Amino acid sequence: MAAKRYGPVDGKSRSGLADYHQSKDELAGLPQTVAEKIPVTNTPNIFSYKAYVFAKNPALVQRYIKATKADVGGVGGHVVAAEEVKSIIAKFVLDNNGYRGEPMFTSFIVTHTGDDVGVTGIMSEAIPMSVVDELMWDALQEGAGKAAELGLYGPGQDLVADAFTGNLRGAGPATVALPFPVRQDNASQTVLASFADKTEPMAFNYYATGAYMLPRFNTGLIIAASKMKRGYIMDIVDLDTKAQAIEAGAHPRDQKALDGKMEELAKGLQEKVIRLRSPEDLYDIEGLTRSSRFVIARIWSRDEKGEADQLGYVVSAERLHNIKTKKGFTYGGKDDPVLLAFAQGDWPAPGEITSPWASCPMVAGDCRGSHNLHILPMPINSQTSYWSGPILSAVTLSCNIHTGRIGAISDQFALGTPWDQVRKQAGELAIQFRLAHGVKQPATLHEDELEYQEGWKERRARLERQFRVAPPLTFGNGNGHHGGRTANAGRGAGRPDEID
Ligand code: 13P
Ligand code: MG
Ligand code: MG
């Protein structure tokens, strides 16, 4: 095995915790202005590499915020990530956060949303992305090992690739990176990080087609003086490589041909993408993004000529069933997505970005990845509950782009906010919808999208064998009995020309 390119920052083999400032200790030595706090969220602890985030003259370099998310095993089924698993992942990163004597993440947090763990941190361009990806892959493997030890459900669930091959893309975990602006003045940059569990990347189309396109969700589109007034450019990705393979000529029942075509499409980590403009292409964007197949993966601000300017929104636009494993393209899962987006300035405010969720839209996913259900906006570090309903978290991070520090965090969906009302409404709608429809569509998905569908496939195949082709039962052809009336001939049966 090739030597690891990362390790302890100072080259020694010891835990790096002493080198980090932890936000949980932020008031050490300071007077506390609040004696007691009402808990409204499970605020993440921020680990910041002291020597860098407190540097007097920080280097003015290109920095990135990067978020990586994976399910490495859940408590009680797919309900929630275990604190011990998260801590083991955090420890692995702290202990191995060095690349050529520099910290890879100057600041980072480890969070969970449902059964998915997220690692979100700031890195500089001096660190090759592939090295950070390897660190993430190995840290998540450590987490999966702990999950196995604790007897959690599905240890390593999302670590789909057989081995790390130099890139997280296509390996199972969802990962996105957003380059910070490089500027001498104004070190402040607000970032919104959002994680969804028990759903799919398409769910995040609500963010993009709401906050970035429609003034009813974002007044700033009409009244802001920033670049926002020009609208945005959107890259929309076709996630369905299986459909692409069929459209390219592979027969849907010819597994070998399908696999071959899908493999060809996945080569070189290519994506099938279309670039559209908002507001000019509003109808095209709305049309494409109404289904699971097409996802707004990136949003750019626009320059004076209306062309793409700065990137400010990235979604993990991947479907795991497109990834080849030893078992073929077999993975069933909804690929719980992650989003990083800038807020303020040329971008919507945090509350504008999240506002589309107030209408409680339904998304695909839920229990067994096989239903539609209303998404529940929840504080960060929350569990799923009703069936395995889709949930969503969104936090804003105040970032210092000069030092690479995540300074403070606010939780958009904290308790004690109007989101309590949304949760109540989403809960009521969800209970009504699932109980009213049971297994029937639209509560369950079309059979092509049922994720745990082997049982249905077997049942369907058995029933298929019992079907027979026969002439339909007809009546009223003069051969009947019952005093000249045909069987069931009352109430107009078999006599469509008669009106009751
Ligand atoms: P996850 O993909 O979040 O593990 O959900 C599995 C599921 O559908 C549980 O019902
Ligand atoms: Mg799971
Ligand atoms: Mg999940």
Side-chain angles (χ1 to χ4, degrees):
M1 211 217 283
K4 296 292 178 196
R5 289 184 290 166
Y6 61 76
V9 183
D10 61 5
K12 286 183 240 138
S13 169
R14 62 171 176 76
S15 170
L17 200 52
D19 297 326
Y20 290 82
H21 175 267
Q22 297 182 62
S23 62
K24 72 176 181 60
D25 304 327
E26 65 198 357
L27 294 183
L30 289 174
Q32 301 204 19
T33 60
V34 176
E36 296 219 25
K37 259 185 146 178
I38 301 167
V40 293
T41 184
N42 298 307
T43 311
N45 190 18
I46 309 165
F47 301 96
S48 298
Y49 194 74
K50 287 180 198 162
Y52 278 62
V53 299
F54 298 139
K56 285 255 154 27
N57 296 307
L60 190 66
V61 294
Q62 171 75 69
R63 296 184 194 277
Y64 301 86
I65 182 140
K66 181 176 172 78
T68 304
K69 186 202 69 52
D71 178 341
V72 298
V75 184
H78 298 279
V79 174
V80 70
E83 284 304 322
E84 206 175 334
V85 168
K86 286 166 63 187
S87 289
I88 283 295
I89 292 171
K91 179 168 165 45
F92 191 87
V93 177
L94 289 162
D95 288 352
N96 294 284
N97 195 23
Y99 173 74
R100 297 188 175 166
E102 283 196 44
M104 290 202 260
F105 288 119
T106 38
S107 228
F108 73 95
I109 54 175
V110 180
T111 60
H112 75 271
T113 298
D115 64 353
D116 303 328
V117 178
V119 181
T120 306
I122 299 180
M123 53 178 283
S124 88
E125 64 184 350
I127 317 295
M129 198 58 83
S130 64
V131 182
V132 184
D133 275 4
E134 189 169 11
L135 175 72
M136 289 294 95
W137 176 262
D138 291 344
L140 291 167
Q141 292 283 358
E142 289 284 314
K146 177 55 77 177
E149 184 192 315
L150 296 175
L152 303 193
Y153 195 75
Q157 181 192 280
D158 284 354
L159 307 178
V160 183
D162 300 321
F164 182 73
T165 54
N167 199 311
L168 270 191
R169 193 176 161 78
T175 192
V176 285
L178 189 56
F180 278 120
V182 184
R183 57 179 178 239
Q184 192 82 51
D185 60 326
N186 186 13
S188 155
Q189 180 65 56
T190 306
V191 177
L192 181 136
S194 181
F195 307 87
D197 186 31
K198 309 291 182 279
T199 186
E200 56 179 4
M202 181 277 176
F204 282 0
N205 285 347
Y206 282 99
Y207 274 126
T209 59
Y212 296 79
M213 276 192 356
L214 301 179
R216 84 184 148 108
F217 293 115
N218 175 9
T219 312
L221 290 165
I222 306 295
I223 68 172
S226 70
K227 288 176 190 160
M228 185 151 49
K229 66 184 173 216
R230 302 180 189 136
Y232 294 100
I233 303 271
M234 304 193 173
D235 289 346
I236 302 175
V237 176
D238 181 347
L239 300 193
D240 199 341
T241 48
K242 188 171 172 190
Q244 289 171 39
I246 293 165
E247 284 159 13
H251 193 280
R253 297 242 177 103
D254 184 346
Q255 197 59 46
K256 223 173 133 209
L258 265 183
D259 281 9
K261 199 75 205 167
M262 285 174 73
E263 229 169 322
E264 200 184 307
L265 290 167
K267 273 215 182 88
L269 301 171
Q270 309 244 38
E271 64 180 12
K272 189 176 155 203
V273 61
I274 183 171
R275 179 165 286 196
L276 294 173
R277 293 149 188 271
S278 171
E280 302 94 301
D281 301 328
L282 181 104
Y283 292 173
D284 291 344
I285 295 169
E286 285 281 22
L288 275 182
T289 58
R290 68 185 191 86
S291 78
S292 291
R293 182 166 175 178
F294 299 101
V295 169
I296 298 179
R298 294 177 287 276
I299 298 181
W300 308 74
S301 62
R302 300 176 73 166
D303 63 17
E304 302 80 28
K305 293 190 182 124
E307 300 306 325
D309 189 36
Q310 200 198 349
L311 181 65
Y313 175 109
V314 276
V315 165
S316 56
E318 258 193 302
R319 297 289 305 264
L320 290 181
H321 67 214
N322 296 339
I323 299 171
K324 182 88 182 268
T325 69
K326 278 182 195 133
K327 290 189 253 159
F329 292 92
T330 57
Y331 181 84
K334 281 294 175 197
D335 321 313
D336 309 327
V338 53
L339 158 76
L340 288 174
F342 292 145
Q344 311 297 140
D346 293 328
W347 306 99
E352 288 167 342
I353 299 179
T354 51
S355 65
W357 299 111
S359 54
C360 308
M362 272 193 268
V363 296
D366 184 38
C367 201
R368 301 179 188 276
S370 297
H371 299 81
N372 289 304
L373 205 64
H374 308 79
I375 203 161
L376 198 67
M378 290 290 284
I380 190 79
N381 297 330
S382 295
Q383 63 170 53
T384 64
S385 55
Y386 186 62
W387 272 292
S388 288
I391 64 168
L392 174 79
S393 63
V395 288
T396 47
L397 315 174
S398 281
C399 301
N400 183 319
I401 60 171
H402 292 169
T403 62
R405 180 176 180 185
I406 300 170
I409 298 176
S410 78
D411 189 335
Q412 281 298 306
F413 300 138
L415 305 179
T417 65
W419 294 99
D420 289 342
Q421 173 60 25
V422 174
R423 280 186 277 271
K424 187 163 176 287
Q425 197 187 348
E428 281 168 7
L429 290 168
I431 291 167
Q432 193 279 334
F433 185 75
R434 283 287 318 261
L435 291 183
H437 301 93
V439 74
K440 293 182 176 55
Q441 286 183 240
T444 48
L445 302 181
H446 182 270
E447 65 183 349
D448 292 347
E449 284 284 322
L450 296 177
E451 294 294 350
Y452 298 82
Q453 56 172 325
E454 294 313 307
W456 172 242
K457 271 189 191 156
E458 285 166 22
R459 188 180 297 277
R460 183 73 183 78
R462 172 172 57 71
L463 293 170
E464 187 61 32
R465 288 192 296 274
Q466 287 172 240
F467 274 96
R468 61 198 169 88
V469 177
L473 192 57
T474 56
F475 304 97
N477 53 12
N479 298 328
H481 306 286
H482 312 293
R485 289 174 64 101
T486 55
N488 292 333
R491 304 290 301 164
R495 296 178 296 162
D497 51 323
E498 281 184 26
I499 297 168
D500 281 329

